[in-house]
Amino acid sequence: MRRPSLKLLLPLAAVATLTTAAVTKPNQGFILFSVQQDIDLGAQVARQTDSLYRAKGQLLARSSNARAYQLLDGVVKRVLDNGNLKYRTQFPWDVQIIKDDATQNAFATPGGHIYVFSGLIKFLDNENQLAGVLGHEIAHADRRHSSQLIQKQYGIGLLTNIVLGNNPNQLVQLASGIGQLKFSRTYEVEADKYSTIYLNGTRYYACDGAAGFFIKAEKQGGGTPEFLSTHPNPGSRVTNIQKSAQQLGCTNRTVSNKNFEELKRIL
Ligand SMILES: [Zn+2]
């Protein structure tokens, strides 16, 4: 049998390397999960997360908090409809409020289920900052950062079992830790950048909204917001966000805080 010549093999190897680089570079790792598996896992994790916070009496029901959800949904929808999301129509992008004034955090599960603590909303000064933080969280889900982190931590075999409903104990563990997932600095840089891109696309919010939150959070002595321990500063964070916003030419937009002040008041 003739051995394939080296000449033939080399281009194939080169193609393989290129393909790997193309997949690896933007996301810092292989994604073994399909988008559909993100959606399925997200649905399971969200159901479990809801029931964990409901059991603690902290999950604000939509039926009895209609106005709060109307106000928050308005901000979320504006940020989502920026035209730059990859999975705007595939992921459900629902949002839940967790009533916990002592926790200044927000998170999104793989597959796009968003959770916002009342403590974060009360901590923020204006709607623009809220839009910036939401943009950052939405980026972690839409760029599939959280999916990759979980895949690394749990392994594909175990996660597949969780998706199939075969491992309820691990699902509880996963849901309990989902708000404390610690992102890498590379993911943080990307989520900060996308927050500015998303806000630019809203044609409504000033794109450096997230910077306003980080400036305030970093200034705060003691009781550092939980957000900063799970989303570590990649270095020059505020400067980078402001620079990106300036490059996009969208730093001068002003938004009324009437709705935001009402949201803070009724939470
Ligand atoms: Zn982050």
Side-chain angles (χ1 to χ4, degrees):
M1 200 176 80
R2 271 190 67 207
R3 281 174 55 201
S5 78
L6 204 57
K7 267 182 196 163
L8 263 175
L9 281 174
L10 271 176
L12 279 178
V15 169
T17 313
L18 277 176
T19 313
T20 309
V23 173
T24 311
K25 203 180 165 195
N27 297 303
Q28 304 98 41
F30 283 112
I31 299 195
L32 296 171
F33 252 33
S34 66
V35 172
Q36 187 55 49
Q37 282 172 306
D38 267 25
I39 294 168
D40 295 343
L41 178 67
Q44 296 260 21
V45 170
R47 201 174 311 128
Q48 188 60 47
T49 304
D50 287 359
S51 76
L52 284 175
Y53 286 107
R54 198 179 291 118
K56 290 199 238 174
Q58 292 180 321
L59 191 77
L60 287 196
R62 283 189 164 260
S63 51
S64 44
N65 299 276
R67 180 62 181 157
Y69 277 105
Q70 186 186 19
L71 293 166
L72 181 59
D73 286 347
V75 185
V76 171
K77 189 173 180 318
R78 267 194 287 275
V79 178
L80 286 171
D81 287 339
N82 70 78
N84 295 291
L85 260 72
K86 288 174 89 169
Y87 306 108
R88 174 67 182 99
T89 52
Q90 289 98 320
F91 291 177
W93 299 116
D94 51 359
V95 57
Q96 306 283 356
I97 303 169
I98 300 165
K99 174 66 182 168
D100 175 359
D101 289 355
T103 301
Q104 293 140 350
N105 206 358
F107 62 90
T109 71
H113 301 268
I114 305 163
Y115 292 83
V116 183
F117 287 83
S118 57
L120 175 73
I121 295 172
K122 294 191 175 195
F123 177 74
L124 297 174
D125 292 329
N126 54 56
E127 187 169 320
N128 216 97
Q129 292 176 356
L130 177 59
V133 176
L134 287 170
H136 181 104
E137 287 307 321
I138 289 167
H140 279 317
D142 195 63
R143 311 299 302 172
R144 306 185 70 198
H145 297 162
S146 36
S147 176
Q148 287 170 73
L149 262 184
I150 292 171
Q151 285 174 50
K152 257 186 225 156
Q153 270 181 22
Y154 284 79
I156 297 298
L158 180 53
L159 275 191
T160 308
N161 265 324
I162 293 175
V163 171
L164 293 171
N166 293 340
N167 205 328
N169 291 337
Q170 286 291 342
L171 175 61
V172 172
Q173 201 191 318
L174 177 56
S176 332
I178 195 82
Q180 283 86 42
L181 271 186
K182 193 170 173 184
F183 289 97
S184 72
R185 288 164 204 280
T186 320
Y187 288 153
E188 286 307 291
V189 169
E190 190 169 273
D192 283 349
K193 190 185 87 185
Y194 273 91
S195 175
T196 65
I197 292 170
Y198 294 165
L199 266 52
N200 183 39
T202 65
R203 301 178 184 277
Y204 186 78
Y205 294 116
C207 306
D208 54 356
F213 163 63
F214 288 124
I215 291 169
K216 191 176 162 81
E218 281 165 12
K219 262 190 206 152
Q220 188 181 264
T224 306
E226 186 173 296
F227 192 96
L228 293 189
S229 60
T230 49
H231 302 260
N233 188 339
S236 319
R237 156 170 261 160
V238 168
T239 316
N240 288 343
I241 294 172
Q242 288 170 340
K243 217 185 273 173
S244 171
Q246 270 154 20
Q247 281 164 0
L248 292 163
C250 48
T251 49
N252 294 326
R253 299 172 186 164
T254 48
V255 174
S256 156
N257 280 314
K258 195 169 154 278
N259 284 348
F260 182 72
E261 289 303 329
E262 184 187 349
L263 176 59
K264 277 170 91 157
R265 209 168 45 240
I266 61 180
L267 277 183

